[in-house]
Structure formats: structure tokens, C-alpha cells
Amino acid sequence: MSLWEIIKRLYPYVRPYRPLVLGTLLLTLVGSLAAQVNPFVLRYTVDTVQGLLNANKGLIEGANLLLLVSGLLLGKEIINTFIQFGQKFYGEKIRINVSSTLSQDAVRKILSYQLGFYSDNGNQTGKLQTRIDRGVESLMKLVQNFFIDILPLFANAIVALVVMFSANLYVGLVAVCILPLYFWISYRQADKLNGTRRALRGLREAKSQGLVNLIDSAVVIKSFVREDYEELKQAQAQQNLQEAQLQTRKTNFLFDGLKTFTEQVGVVLIIILTAYLVLDRQISIGAIMFHILLFNNVSAPIRQLHRIYDEMNDALTYSEGFFDILDAKEAVEPTGPLQPTHLHGTFDICNVDFTYPSGTQALHDVCLTIEAGKTTALVGLSGAGKSTIINLLCKFYAPDRGKMLLDGKPLADYDTHTLRQQIGLVLQKNHIFKGTIEENIRYGLMNASFEQVQHAAKQAYLHEQIMQLPKQYESDAQQLSGGQQQRIAIARLFLKNPPIIFLDEPTASLDAIATEQIKNSLDAIKQGRTVIIISHSLAQIVDSDCIYVMKEGRMVESGTHEQLYDQRGTYREIFDASARSLNIEKLARVLVDDEDEVGDTAA
Ligand code: ADP
């Protein structure tokens, strides 16, 4: 993106604040005119004092002059204070408003994108956040530079130059000769720093990322006693950062020194020239001061050139990544016109192929039928493609090829939000938001009353446990155990009350008691709904109405438990392995012995 393109993209964001921008510009223009008052006042003072001295007059006559000069300078400063306040405050107001609109736009866009967008390499959580933060920050500086700073800065310099020229052509020429040199040094400085600053930023990120990792991995580091190793790693990152920081400072000091020197050469030249002109009686003695101050007004804004140049470079670097987020049109979730109020949940899937954006083909020519009101189980080893099927049914992703129908109509034709409002999804690990238990359960139905929330918690066998907590429903939900968090997800499901339910290993990470309770809750909610369940737990599969077996992205078997068991295929293999891993024979013996004992005692 070129600078011009970025400015064009930014303009709509600045547009609503046009009156504010114009007002700020006006203030700064007045400010730049006010800045020229000092040279005039000083010239007048010096010349008048000189006149008084020549006329052998003293303090009494000079007092009037002092009063006038103090009045003028203080009056100008008072006006200047208001101008500066207005300029800074309104400038900041524009920046803050534009930056929040830009950030909010990015948030809205990201929320509208498909899941594939998030798994893209450049969009992972940390990276996306950095891209947005940096993009907004550098664009804000551009707004400040381009819409607020540049014109007044140069207005100030130009007004000062015009005044210099009109006072004396030769002095004006000297000032103009110094400028290109100054520009060139500023340009070289920005150019040299460009690479180092980028490297510096990378190193800073690496260092803070290292620190975050350190905290995340504290338990592993300590248990393996790797403190020294980690410290060394951090020290290395610190060392690299230190070197880059020093290098940047060195370059800055060097160029700043050069610029000050050039400026001073300009001042010296102006002193020599004006002193010569004074001695030659071409101008008054006050003009020496007058020209030096004016030259300062010319060079002061140009001193900021390298900052502006740097920030424009930053904007060029980072805003592209930011606008890419706003423009990722292909990532927008597709939706359709159908908005039925009640879905039955008959899914017909035929010859479906699907490849993740990363390039992994997860489904090959998959066909299956999910009957409404029944429970269908998907079985297969890890990575077989079971969750992928659920991802496609929720329209998180679209298939590469094949037919997907819901209640007889193409899934793609359904309005995505309407579809998802009627699907309840419980995963192996469900996200718990930062907040209270009540807020987390209410996520299932945002306008639910507290009684409804409580009722849902009871159905999910969670209420009793919540009541034992010191702050009950007000407790921090993220502090709950895995099993309790899972129950929150189920309570949400009860509140949402959808006709279609997808369960993706809902009890995989739970203990036996929690598993049993959650199974009871799920059995209660399954009634009369379309359910797809993925589970490694035989208990949850065997009584499904239909079981589909997957292997390496393909559908290999289907039928009831009894049919599949008799087929002696993949299902049987998985079933037998599960039984062995549970040591069913021994468990069965224990149970039989137990029953015998009970029988004996009864007899
Ligand atoms: P299952 O649920 O049967 O364990 P999945 O459907 O999760 O299997 O995964 C099927 C295949 O797709 C695996 O090879 C897995 O690595 C891959 N996969 C799953 N999710 C993603 C993703 N978000 N991006 C890329 N590949 C994925």
C-alpha cells in the first residue's frame, strides 16, 4: 500500500470530524502566526533601546517600552496557551475517536469471519492482537501527522521564511541554503533507524513472549529443575535487546548532534551576515536577534521531520496488515436466506470432501444420514475426522465438494445465525468466560431470569455444588474444576434448549462420578431431539440409534451396535480394545463375586 492509498483509506474515518480538524488547523495556523511575534517584539525592543541610548535617555523613558513589551509578550503567551490547549485537546480528540472506530471495526470484522480465518498462521491470537494494536497505533500517528501536524509545522516554517525574505533577501537565502542539508540528514537518520527499529521491536516481542511462556510453563520448569536453563535463555534475549537499544541510541545521538551542528552553522552564518549588514548600516541592530529567532522558527518544525518520516514508514509497514484484517472478504462467513423457526435435524451428507485451510484433507467422500429425533454416534480413532463433520454441520467450514442437506434443503442456503441458534454444541473442553457462574450459564440464553439459570444448573447436577461455594452463583467460574465447568456447558445447553445437539466427547476429561451424572443430564436432554454424539465411552455409544464408524477421514461402517459388533470390522476392533483397556473381564468377575456375596447373605 502506498502512503496515498493509506490516507485515502483513513479519510472516511476522519471525515466525521471534519469541523474539528478544520478548527484544529485554524488554531495551529493562528499559533504559527503568533510564534512570529517574538522576533518582531525583540527587534523593536533592541532598536528602541539603542535609540534611547543614542539619545542619552535612561530608565524613565525606557519604562514605557518595558511595559509595552511585557504586555505584548505576556498577552501573546496567554493567547498561545489557549491555542495550544485547543490544538492539543482537539487533536487528541480526533485521534482517540478515530482509533476507537478503527479498533471497533476490526473487532466487528473479526467476529464476522469464519473459523478458518483464526487458524490462519498470521491470525493466531497473539499475532492478530499485535497486528490490530500496531496497525491502529501507527495509523493514529499518521492521522496526527497528516491531518493535524504537517500543515501547521510547515506553515510555521514557511511564514517565518517569508518574513525573513521580506526583511532581507540575503538572510533569507542563507536560511534556505541550510534547509536541504538539514532535510538530507533527517532523511538519512530515519533511513538508518528504520531497520534497527524494526529489529528492536522484534526483539522486544520475543522477550515479552519469552516472559509469558515462562509464567505459563512454571510448573514444568520447576518440576524438571530447569530454572538455570530458562534464565540463560532470557539473558540471551535481554542481551540482544540491549545491543539493539544501544545501537539505536548511538545512531540517534550521532544524527541529532549533526543536525544541531548544521543548525548552529546556520545561526553563525546569520549572525555574521546580519552583523555585517548592521555595520554596513543596511539594517538596524535589532535585526540580528530578529533573524536568529526567525531562523529558529524555520528549523524547529524541520527538526521533527525524522519523527514524521519514521512514523510514516511505520504506517506503511503496519497498516497493510491491519487493512488486510478489515478486507478479508473471502473470510466472511457465508450465509443463506432460509430462516426457519424450527429445524427438525435430518441431515443428508453425500460424497463430501473437506480440506482444512492448512491443507490437511480431513474428509474423503463421506456419506451419512442423521435422522431427526434420533441419536447418532460417530466412532473412530483420534484424527479420524469426527469433529470435522460437526464443524461442517455447524457451518464453521464449507465442504470442498459434495452434498449437505438439512431437512431436505442445502445447508448452505440456511441463514448461519438461525442455524446455530438451533444447535447446541458441547465439546470435550468448553470455554468458560471470565465472570461469574451465573453469567457463564446465562450465555445459553442472554435474557434468562435467575430462576431459569438455577433450574438449568439443577438439571446439569451443578446447583448443589454451587450452593456450597462461598459466593454461590457469584463465584468466579474460571476457578471451577473441569467437571464443574463441563456442567456449566450442559446448563447452557438446557437454557438454550435447541432441537439439535452435537456432543463432542462431552465426558472425556471427567472422573467416573461426573461422567455418570453428566450422562444422566444428557440422557434427559436428548429426549425428542436430534443428537450426534462423538465419544470414546462405550456406555454412551451402545444405545445410539445408529452408529457411524470413521477411519482416516472415510466412513467405513454403519449400523446399530449389535450389527456392527457382529461385522467384526473396525467398530469391533475399537470396542474390544476399549473393553480390554477397561479390564472388563476382571471387573465383571468382581461384580459377579459381589452379587454372589449379596445372594449368600440374603439366603
Ligand atoms: P477426530 O475428531 O476424529 O479426532 P478431527 O476431525 O478433529 O478428528 O481431525 C481430523 C483431521 O483434521 C486430523 O488430521 C486433524 O489433524 C485435522 N484437523 C482438525 N482440526 C484442524 C484444523 N483446525 N486445522 C487443520 N487441521 C485440522
Side-chain angles (χ1 to χ4, degrees), residues 92-373:
E92 200 59 21
K93 192 168 168 178
I94 298 167
R95 275 166 47 116
I96 291 175
N97 282 331
V98 171
S99 89
S100 48
T101 321
L102 277 168
S103 309
Q104 200 49 35
D105 253 21
V107 169
R108 191 177 332 115
K109 285 287 177 171
I110 288 173
L111 284 173
S112 74
Y113 291 156
Q114 312 177 38
L115 281 189
F117 174 81
Y118 299 91
S119 52
D120 188 278
N121 194 29
N123 297 335
Q124 284 145 4
T125 330
K127 289 188 186 167
L128 203 56
Q129 186 184 347
T130 323
R131 267 170 75 189
I132 294 176
D133 287 350
R134 285 232 193 104
V136 171
E137 192 189 328
S138 64
L139 285 170
M140 274 321 82
K141 288 190 178 149
L142 198 66
V143 167
Q144 174 80 32
N145 285 333
F146 197 83
F147 293 95
I148 303 166
D149 277 353
I150 277 217
L151 191 63
L153 270 177
F154 285 93
N156 201 347
I158 289 166
V159 171
L161 260 183
V162 169
V163 178
M164 277 181 109
F165 266 105
S166 58
N168 190 291
L169 177 71
Y170 299 108
V171 187
L173 280 177
V174 169
V176 168
C177 287
I178 294 293
L179 290 184
L181 193 59
Y182 211 94
F183 271 106
W184 184 76
I185 300 173
S186 292
Y187 167 78
R188 292 289 308 149
Q189 178 175 17
D191 211 37
K192 222 173 167 73
L193 282 182
N194 210 1
T196 5
R197 280 173 64 242
R198 211 164 292 170
L200 197 66
R201 230 177 266 127
L203 291 169
R204 272 208 193 102
E205 270 165 38
K207 177 146 194 310
S208 55
Q209 193 59 43
L211 218 57
V212 172
N213 286 343
L214 215 64
I215 297 164
D216 284 350
S217 358
V219 176
V220 184
I221 296 173
K222 284 180 185 296
S223 69
F224 281 94
V225 199
R226 292 283 181 264
E227 284 91 342
D228 289 346
Y229 169 71
E230 293 295 334
E231 194 184 323
L232 206 68
K233 252 181 20 188
Q234 280 298 302
Q236 189 59 51
Q238 184 70 49
Q239 168 93 20
N240 295 343
L241 182 63
Q242 222 169 307
E243 279 162 18
Q245 271 172 329
L246 264 179
Q247 186 58 37
T248 317
R249 297 282 185 285
K250 197 168 114 189
T251 314
N252 257 338
F253 294 150
L254 200 70
F255 278 93
D256 286 349
L258 260 178
K259 281 195 297 190
T260 313
F261 182 74
T262 315
E263 200 180 337
Q264 286 313 308
V265 169
V267 172
V268 169
L269 286 178
I270 287 173
I271 291 178
I272 294 173
L273 185 61
T274 44
Y276 167 80
L277 292 172
V278 170
L279 292 174
D280 203 35
R281 312 235 171 246
Q282 292 191 31
I283 52 173
S284 66
I285 190 164
I288 298 183
M289 206 59 163
F290 176 72
H291 282 295
I292 289 172
L293 286 182
L294 281 177
F295 183 64
N296 189 48
N297 281 355
V298 175
S299 58
I302 293 165
R303 238 176 266 151
Q304 308 214 29
L305 265 182
H306 107 260
R307 175 182 62 80
I308 293 183
Y309 184 81
D310 268 358
E311 291 177 357
M312 287 197 173
N313 263 329
D314 262 10
L316 285 175
T317 317
Y318 295 123
S319 53
E320 197 159 311
F322 177 79
F323 284 123
D324 278 352
I325 296 175
L326 293 193
D327 297 341
K329 291 200 178 61
E330 69 290 347
V332 174
E333 280 195 314
T335 189
L338 299 179
Q339 299 186 330
T341 46
H342 183 82
L343 291 173
H344 298 285
T346 307
F347 289 97
D348 274 310
I349 296 164
C350 204
N351 307 118
V352 163
D353 284 351
F354 173 70
T355 312
Y356 277 105
S358 64
T360 311
Q361 182 163 1
L363 299 181
H364 302 262
D365 202 26
V366 164
C367 293
L368 79 158
T369 304
I370 313 281
E371 285 187 54

Side-chain angles (χ1 to χ4, degrees), residues 119 356 358 360 362 381-389 397 504-505 534:
S119 52
Y356 277 105
S358 64
T360 311
L381 301 181
S382 283
K386 307 177 296 291
S387 308
T388 304
I389 291 196
Y397 297 93
D504 192 346
E505 304 198 31
I534 298 174

Side-chain angles (χ1 to χ4, degrees), residues 310-502:
D310 268 358
E311 291 177 357
M312 287 197 173
N313 263 329
D314 262 10
L316 285 175
T317 317
Y318 295 123
S319 53
E320 197 159 311
F322 177 79
F323 284 123
D324 278 352
I325 296 175
L326 293 193
D327 297 341
K329 291 200 178 61
E330 69 290 347
V332 174
E333 280 195 314
T335 189
L338 299 179
Q339 299 186 330
T341 46
H342 183 82
L343 291 173
H344 298 285
T346 307
F347 289 97
D348 274 310
I349 296 164
C350 204
N351 307 118
V352 163
D353 284 351
F354 173 70
T355 312
Y356 277 105
S358 64
T360 311
Q361 182 163 1
L363 299 181
H364 302 262
D365 202 26
V366 164
C367 293
L368 79 158
T369 304
I370 313 281
E371 285 187 54
K374 301 227 164 124
T375 298
T376 307
L378 297 181
V379 177
L381 301 181
S382 283
K386 307 177 296 291
S387 308
T388 304
I389 291 196
I390 286 189
N391 282 340
L392 293 191
L393 296 183
C394 290
K395 278 177 78 172
F396 289 146
Y397 297 93
D400 308 340
R401 179 185 81 95
K403 189 177 77 172
M404 295 185 71
L405 300 179
L406 166 59
D407 293 344
K409 301 198 177 84
L411 192 63
D413 288 354
Y414 284 89
D415 175 76
T416 307
H417 287 186
T418 309
L419 173 78
R420 290 188 195 146
Q421 265 151 7
Q422 300 192 47
I423 293 177
L425 186 60
V426 178
L427 307 173
Q428 178 178 347
K429 179 119 184 55
N430 293 280
H431 186 72
I432 298 297
F433 293 94
K434 184 137 197 56
T436 65
I437 295 179
E438 184 185 340
E439 286 163 357
N440 263 284
I441 297 179
R442 188 168 283 125
Y443 213 76
L445 183 69
M446 291 312 248
N447 56 3
S449 66
F450 181 59
E451 285 67 35
Q452 283 174 296
V453 169
Q454 260 186 328
H455 184 61
K458 280 181 190 157
Q459 289 173 302
Y461 291 88
L462 185 59
H463 178 71
E464 309 274 293
Q465 297 183 17
I466 296 175
M467 296 314 277
Q468 283 166 14
L469 297 170
K471 286 160 82 182
Q472 300 179 342
Y473 278 84
E474 289 299 303
S475 315
D476 179 359
Q478 286 183 331
Q479 305 282 326
L480 296 176
S481 72
Q484 288 166 331
Q485 293 192 352
Q486 200 64 359
R487 284 171 230 245
I488 287 200
I490 298 196
R492 279 183 197 152
L493 188 67
F494 274 108
L495 268 190
K496 187 173 182 182
N497 196 18
I500 302 169
I501 294 177
F502 297 152

